[in-house]
Amino acid sequence: DAGVIQSPRHEVTEMGQEVTLRCKPISGHDYLFWYRQTMMRGLELLIYFNNNVPIDDSGMPEDRFSAKMPNASFSTLKIQPSEPRDSAVYFCASSPVGMNTEAFFGQGTRLTVV
Amino acid sequence: GENVEQHPSTLSVQEGDSAVIKCTYSDSASNYFPWYKQELGKRPQLIIDIRSNVGEKKDQRIAVTLNKTAKHFSLHITETQPEDSAVYFCAAVLPLNTGGFKTIFGAGTRLFVKA
C-alpha cells in the first residue's frame, strides 16, 4: 500500500477563493482524520470519520470549513472562502478498526492564502 | 475540556546524552498514549505507544513510562544521535460515549541533538 495520499502537496491561493484538499486513506482503514498544523497552535484535530460517517467535527474552526467522505477511499476538506489565517499544513490520517491503534499520516498539504 | 500538556517545548542535548519529554493529560478515561516523531517538512510518524494497562514499554533506545494515578507519561531517549533531532508529539486517546474516540495532541517538543 502506498500509504495515505494527499493532494495537492502545495496550494497557493488568493483570499476569498475556494480551496479543496483531497485525501485517500489506506485501504481497509475505517477511521479518517483531518488535522491542521501551525506554529502557533500545533496539531489540531478538525474532524474525523468512522466508516465514512462524520463522528466529531467540533474542531472545525468555522462554517467556512467543510469535510466530506463520499466513500471509503476518498475524503475532501473544503475552505470557502479562504482567508490568510487558514494558511497551515493540513494532514489527513487514517487508522484501522479500533481506537488503540496508530494513526498513519499523509504527507500533508501546505496551504498558503495570500 | 480534554487537554494534554507537553514539556519542554524545546530541548537541546549533546550527542550521547539522554532526553526526556513529559506529558500530562486531563481525562482519566484516556487509555492509549502514542508518541509521534516529525522531522522537518515531513509527516508525523509513530515511534512508540503505550496502553493504560502497562506502566512501561521499551524499544531499543526509546522508552515510555505511564503513571495513571498522576495522569502523566514520559518519553525517554537514551544515547541520543543527531538523527533524533525532530519535533516529538505526545497524544492521549479518549474513548467517547458515542463509541468513537478522540485524540488530543500535546503542543510538541523540538529536540536538538548537538554532535
Side-chain angles (χ1 to χ4, degrees), chain A residues 24-103:
Chain A
K24 181 181 187 303
I26 293 173
S27 177
H29 283 193
D30 287 354
Y31 289 87
L32 183 140
F33 310 85
W34 281 102
Y35 290 94
R36 178 172 68 175
Q37 186 175 39
T38 61
M39 287 294 293
M40 291 296 295
R41 301 172 70 91
L43 262 173
E44 301 174 275
L45 176 65
L46 301 178
I47 184 171
Y48 81 91
F49 296 82
N50 180 16
N51 291 320
N52 313 338
V53 177
I55 302 300
D56 183 357
D57 65 354
S58 59
M60 297 285 262
E62 298 172 39
D63 291 345
R64 299 184 296 107
F65 286 70
S66 62
K68 294 182 180 179
M69 192 166 185
N71 57 63
S73 59
F74 183 66
S75 177
T76 60
L77 178 68
K78 185 177 294 185
I79 309 173
Q80 165 63 21
S82 58
E83 297 183 3
R85 60 195 170 112
D86 301 331
S87 298
V89 179
Y90 291 81
F91 286 102
C92 175
S94 69
S95 287
V97 174
M99 62 168 290
N100 290 355
T101 54
E102 174 184 358

Side-chain angles (χ1 to χ4, degrees), chain A residues 103-114:
Chain A
F104 292 82
F105 284 77
Q107 295 277 32
T109 295
R110 182 174 294 277
L111 173 65
T112 303
V113 183
V114 298

Side-chain angles (χ1 to χ4, degrees), chain A residues 4 9 31 33 35 37 39 42-43 45 48 55-56 58 91 95 98-103 105-107, chain B residues 31-32 36 38 41-46 51 89 93-96 98-103 105 107 110:
Chain A
V4 176
R9 291 291 308 278
Y31 289 87
F33 310 85
Y35 290 94
Q37 186 175 39
M39 287 294 293
L43 262 173
L45 176 65
Y48 81 91
I55 302 300
D56 183 357
S58 59
F91 286 102
S95 287
M99 62 168 290
N100 290 355
T101 54
E102 174 184 358
F105 284 77
Q107 295 277 32
Chain B
N31 61 8
Y32 175 61
Y36 290 84
Q38 186 178 27
K42 297 191 176 180
R43 74 186 90 185
Q45 291 188 288
L46 183 79
R51 290 168 173 75
F89 293 94
V93 178
L94 174 68
L96 303 176
T98 55
F101 61 93
K102 192 168 193 173
T103 303
F105 279 87
R110 187 172 295 277

